Amino acid sequence: MADRANREINGGKMPIESIQARRDSLRKKMAARRKDMSSLEVDELSAQIFKRLEQLQPLAGAQVIMGYSSIKNEVNLIPWLVQLKEQGRTILLPRVEGNCLEAIELKDWDDMGRGSFGIREPRGEAFAVEKIDVVLVPGLVFDANGYRLGYGKGYYDRFLPRLSKQCFNCGVCYEYQVADNVFPNPADVPVHWIVTDRSEIAVDMSFF
């Protein structure tokens, strides 16, 4: 059979090329808008997101929390995660190992390595993923169904299915990063909840 580059997905409503073009356009638009943010704006909006996260029931009772090291004006969770660590929580950060993400315990923010993408990564052995209570997931774009667009490498889509069913996966972004539809692929994995500086999006109420 001839090459079916024009075959359709999404119930036969849109060609694959159109879907990918829309995803790429969303990524480009959000990356450009985020790049234009000032450091003060990042800090202020990140602090508003901290306050919302602190009020979430699944986080209030969580002992093992995985965050991330922010880049390119992402929501900066590190000041809040350091506070949680000082309270006795176990804080994990991602480290890229080949095509996979591994969760590594944060021991000392001042003693970190640099990953292949310039992201600060903890040193040490991989943490058992089945023991993680909460994962805070970054992204360029999220939609109301919990799907996200990252940088297109698929690390979180491969990582999230490895977690226990009881693990609460929460997307974190600025309000303007929420779109009506990110046109997910079959392999994309949604989060259970999304927190922004202005609102929360309930995707899965079974954790509450």
PDB file of all heavy atoms in Angstrom, residues 65-77:
ATOM      1  N   ILE A  65       7.780  13.792  47.491  1.00  0.00           N
ATOM      2  CA  ILE A  65       7.296  14.687  46.434  1.00  0.00           C
ATOM      3  C   ILE A  65       8.382  14.878  45.390  1.00  0.00           C
ATOM      4  O   ILE A  65       9.516  15.233  45.713  1.00  0.00           O
ATOM      5  CB  ILE A  65       6.898  16.055  47.022  1.00  0.00           C
ATOM      6  CG1 ILE A  65       5.791  15.881  48.064  1.00  0.00           C
ATOM      7  CG2 ILE A  65       6.455  17.016  45.914  1.00  0.00           C
ATOM      8  CD1 ILE A  65       5.498  17.137  48.869  1.00  0.00           C
ATOM      9  N   MET A  66       8.018  14.671  44.138  1.00  0.00           N
ATOM     10  CA  MET A  66       8.952  14.913  43.035  1.00  0.00           C
ATOM     11  C   MET A  66       8.603  16.221  42.349  1.00  0.00           C
ATOM     12  O   MET A  66       7.477  16.420  41.894  1.00  0.00           O
ATOM     13  CB  MET A  66       8.899  13.767  42.027  1.00  0.00           C
ATOM     14  CG  MET A  66       9.862  13.937  40.861  1.00  0.00           C
ATOM     15  SD  MET A  66       9.890  12.455  39.818  1.00  0.00           S
ATOM     16  CE  MET A  66      10.951  13.005  38.472  1.00  0.00           C
ATOM     17  N   GLY A  67       9.576  17.113  42.293  1.00  0.00           N
ATOM     18  CA  GLY A  67       9.404  18.380  41.585  1.00  0.00           C
ATOM     19  C   GLY A  67      10.253  18.389  40.335  1.00  0.00           C
ATOM     20  O   GLY A  67      10.390  17.368  39.657  1.00  0.00           O
ATOM     21  N   TYR A  68      10.844  19.519  40.025  1.00  0.00           N
ATOM     22  CA  TYR A  68      11.709  19.622  38.858  1.00  0.00           C
ATOM     23  C   TYR A  68      12.583  20.866  38.999  1.00  0.00           C
ATOM     24  O   TYR A  68      12.280  21.779  39.769  1.00  0.00           O
ATOM     25  CB  TYR A  68      10.887  19.708  37.564  1.00  0.00           C
ATOM     26  CG  TYR A  68       9.935  20.875  37.513  1.00  0.00           C
ATOM     27  CD1 TYR A  68      10.334  22.126  37.022  1.00  0.00           C
ATOM     28  CD2 TYR A  68       8.627  20.753  37.976  1.00  0.00           C
ATOM     29  CE1 TYR A  68       9.463  23.199  37.003  1.00  0.00           C
ATOM     30  CE2 TYR A  68       7.755  21.823  37.954  1.00  0.00           C
ATOM     31  CZ  TYR A  68       8.179  23.036  37.466  1.00  0.00           C
ATOM     32  OH  TYR A  68       7.313  24.108  37.448  1.00  0.00           O
ATOM     33  N   SER A  69      13.682  20.893  38.271  1.00  0.00           N
ATOM     34  CA  SER A  69      14.553  22.068  38.213  1.00  0.00           C
ATOM     35  C   SER A  69      14.103  22.922  37.039  1.00  0.00           C
ATOM     36  O   SER A  69      14.148  22.467  35.896  1.00  0.00           O
ATOM     37  CB  SER A  69      16.013  21.645  38.025  1.00  0.00           C
ATOM     38  OG  SER A  69      16.465  20.852  39.097  1.00  0.00           O
ATOM     39  N   SER A  70      13.673  24.134  37.308  1.00  0.00           N
ATOM     40  CA  SER A  70      13.082  24.960  36.250  1.00  0.00           C
ATOM     41  C   SER A  70      14.131  25.501  35.290  1.00  0.00           C
ATOM     42  O   SER A  70      15.277  25.786  35.663  1.00  0.00           O
ATOM     43  CB  SER A  70      12.306  26.118  36.871  1.00  0.00           C
ATOM     44  OG  SER A  70      13.159  26.921  37.660  1.00  0.00           O
ATOM     45  N   ILE A  71      13.727  25.633  34.029  1.00  0.00           N
ATOM     46  CA  ILE A  71      14.540  26.264  32.991  1.00  0.00           C
ATOM     47  C   ILE A  71      13.631  27.165  32.153  1.00  0.00           C
ATOM     48  O   ILE A  71      12.410  27.008  32.154  1.00  0.00           O
ATOM     49  CB  ILE A  71      15.224  25.228  32.075  1.00  0.00           C
ATOM     50  CG1 ILE A  71      14.180  24.334  31.395  1.00  0.00           C
ATOM     51  CG2 ILE A  71      16.250  24.415  32.836  1.00  0.00           C
ATOM     52  CD1 ILE A  71      14.730  23.443  30.301  1.00  0.00           C
ATOM     53  N   LYS A  72      14.235  28.107  31.454  1.00  0.00           N
ATOM     54  CA  LYS A  72      13.522  28.925  30.469  1.00  0.00           C
ATOM     55  C   LYS A  72      12.249  29.556  31.032  1.00  0.00           C
ATOM     56  O   LYS A  72      11.188  29.525  30.411  1.00  0.00           O
ATOM     57  CB  LYS A  72      13.202  28.089  29.232  1.00  0.00           C
ATOM     58  CG  LYS A  72      14.436  27.507  28.553  1.00  0.00           C
ATOM     59  CD  LYS A  72      14.076  26.657  27.352  1.00  0.00           C
ATOM     60  CE  LYS A  72      15.324  26.088  26.688  1.00  0.00           C
ATOM     61  NZ  LYS A  72      14.989  25.225  25.517  1.00  0.00           N
ATOM     62  N   ASN A  73      12.349  30.106  32.245  1.00  0.00           N
ATOM     63  CA  ASN A  73      11.243  30.813  32.902  1.00  0.00           C
ATOM     64  C   ASN A  73      10.065  29.910  33.272  1.00  0.00           C
ATOM     65  O   ASN A  73       8.937  30.391  33.436  1.00  0.00           O
ATOM     66  CB  ASN A  73      10.739  31.977  32.037  1.00  0.00           C
ATOM     67  CG  ASN A  73      11.658  33.187  32.095  1.00  0.00           C
ATOM     68  OD1 ASN A  73      12.497  33.295  32.980  1.00  0.00           O
ATOM     69  ND2 ASN A  73      11.522  34.087  31.132  1.00  0.00           N
ATOM     70  N   GLU A  74      10.299  28.631  33.438  1.00  0.00           N
ATOM     71  CA  GLU A  74       9.253  27.756  33.983  1.00  0.00           C
ATOM     72  C   GLU A  74       8.896  28.210  35.393  1.00  0.00           C
ATOM     73  O   GLU A  74       9.672  28.920  36.047  1.00  0.00           O
ATOM     74  CB  GLU A  74       9.748  26.306  34.038  1.00  0.00           C
ATOM     75  CG  GLU A  74       9.846  25.622  32.698  1.00  0.00           C
ATOM     76  CD  GLU A  74      10.397  24.216  32.808  1.00  0.00           C
ATOM     77  OE1 GLU A  74      11.209  23.943  33.724  1.00  0.00           O
ATOM     78  OE2 GLU A  74      10.037  23.376  31.972  1.00  0.00           O
ATOM     79  N   VAL A  75       7.732  27.791  35.862  1.00  0.00           N
ATOM     80  CA  VAL A  75       7.370  28.024  37.258  1.00  0.00           C
ATOM     81  C   VAL A  75       8.502  27.490  38.139  1.00  0.00           C
ATOM     82  O   VAL A  75       8.897  26.326  38.032  1.00  0.00           O
ATOM     83  CB  VAL A  75       6.049  27.319  37.615  1.00  0.00           C
ATOM     84  CG1 VAL A  75       5.740  27.489  39.098  1.00  0.00           C
ATOM     85  CG2 VAL A  75       4.912  27.851  36.756  1.00  0.00           C
ATOM     86  N   ASN A  76       9.022  28.355  38.995  1.00  0.00           N
ATOM     87  CA  ASN A  76      10.174  27.992  39.831  1.00  0.00           C
ATOM     88  C   ASN A  76       9.706  27.446  41.171  1.00  0.00           C
ATOM     89  O   ASN A  76       9.310  28.200  42.055  1.00  0.00           O
ATOM     90  CB  ASN A  76      11.079  29.208  40.031  1.00  0.00           C
ATOM     91  CG  ASN A  76      12.309  28.873  40.854  1.00  0.00           C
ATOM     92  OD1 ASN A  76      12.626  27.700  41.072  1.00  0.00           O
ATOM     93  ND2 ASN A  76      13.006  29.888  41.313  1.00  0.00           N
ATOM     94  N   LEU A  77       9.769  26.140  41.324  1.00  0.00           N
ATOM     95  CA  LEU A  77       9.307  25.493  42.547  1.00  0.00           C
ATOM     96  C   LEU A  77      10.399  25.336  43.596  1.00  0.00           C
ATOM     97  O   LEU A  77      10.109  24.964  44.742  1.00  0.00           O
ATOM     98  CB  LEU A  77       8.774  24.089  42.206  1.00  0.00           C
ATOM     99  CG  LEU A  77       7.549  23.989  41.300  1.00  0.00           C
ATOM    100  CD1 LEU A  77       7.203  22.520  41.063  1.00  0.00           C
ATOM    101  CD2 LEU A  77       6.365  24.724  41.912  1.00  0.00           C
TER     102      LEU A  77
END
